[in-house]
Amino acid sequence: MNTDGISEKKEVNREPSVHLIVFKLGSEEYGIRIEQVKEVTLTPEIARMPKTPSFIKGVANIRGDIIALLDLEERFHIGSPESSTEIVKEKQKSYTLVLEAKDFTIGLLVREVPHSLTIPISRIEKTPSFIQDLQINDNYIEGIGKLGDRLIIVLDIHKILTFEEAELLKD
């Protein structure tokens, strides 16, 4: 015990980490940095819009803001077309992650309740560039986090859409 009134400072070796919102697409876990997520809500009624890409399921009114809802399973070609239709039909059982990018706000449709997780940066490995989808902006996969047996694909939501798609969402 320190008797001179000055408390001892313990050297705490805090490893830098990131706080993610984790959700499933197909059978894999994906994560988005929590600072990119504005809110998580039950999926509201979706209004389909003409002349939009098939992975944009329509628009919805979330707390007074009309935002486009995006189905990443369809965008990444990891779900069957029936599964994306199911998520829209079963909207009461699905959730929407509301994400704020620089110029637009979008919603991501997910089937299960997303949860938060903190992972040390040292456990996130860079992804080889050949894994990236050439039709989407480069490096939208920030890395792959390893926690025990779990692999979490960490996305940079700002790079998922092409420039043209982002411009479409601004309108």
Side-chain angles (χ1 to χ4, degrees):
M1 177 165 217
N2 191 347
T3 57
D4 60 2
I6 300 173
S7 64
E8 292 182 31
K9 287 187 175 180
K10 287 187 175 180
E11 284 292 323
V12 178
N13 187 9
R14 300 203 118 202
E15 186 175 354
S17 59
V18 294
H19 195 174
L20 301 173
I21 297 293
V22 177
F23 54 94
K24 276 193 166 183
L25 297 177
S27 59
E28 308 303 326
E29 287 187 294
Y30 289 77
I32 296 176
R33 291 178 180 258
I34 198 166
E35 60 268 15
Q36 294 178 339
V37 178
K38 181 178 176 185
E39 71 177 284
V40 178
T41 184
L42 285 171
T43 300
E45 190 71 31
I46 299 172
R48 184 83 179 126
M49 298 298 291
K51 297 184 178 182
T52 56
S54 63
F55 62 89
I56 295 180
K57 294 301 165 194
V59 296
N61 182 351
I62 297 180
R63 302 194 197 290
D65 294 325
I66 304 298
I67 63 170
L69 299 180
L70 195 108
D71 184 343
L72 280 185
E73 286 184 340
E74 191 167 331
R75 176 67 167 152
F76 294 161
H77 309 286
I78 56 175
S80 67
E82 294 82 28
S83 66
S84 97
T85 304
E86 286 173 26
I87 199 167
V88 173
K89 285 181 180 174
E90 297 178 9
K91 60 186 179 301
Q92 289 83 11
K93 297 177 185 172
S94 68
Y95 296 86
T96 298
L97 300 177
V98 178
L99 309 172
E100 285 189 319
K102 181 180 172 189
D103 297 324
F104 56 87
T105 301
I106 60 171
L108 296 184
L109 298 172
V110 295
R111 295 173 195 281
E112 298 175 8
V113 179
H115 62 278
S116 68
L117 176 72
T118 301
I119 184 169
I121 288 177
S122 65
R123 293 191 180 193
I124 299 176
E125 295 185 10
K126 295 288 178 198
T127 309
S129 60
F130 64 87
I131 292 178
Q132 302 287 333
D133 184 344
L134 297 176
Q135 295 180 5
I136 305 176
N137 288 345
D138 289 339
N139 302 320
Y140 68 91
I141 297 177
E142 194 174 313
I144 298 177
K146 296 187 303 185
L147 277 179
D149 292 340
R150 294 171 70 184
L151 293 179
I152 300 167
I153 301 166
V154 181
L155 302 174
D156 182 346
I157 197 65
H158 300 293
K159 296 179 179 175
I160 286 178
L161 300 173
T162 64
F163 176 77
E164 293 80 16
E165 291 164 346
E167 288 295 312
L168 182 69
L169 290 175
K170 285 182 189 177
D171 297 335

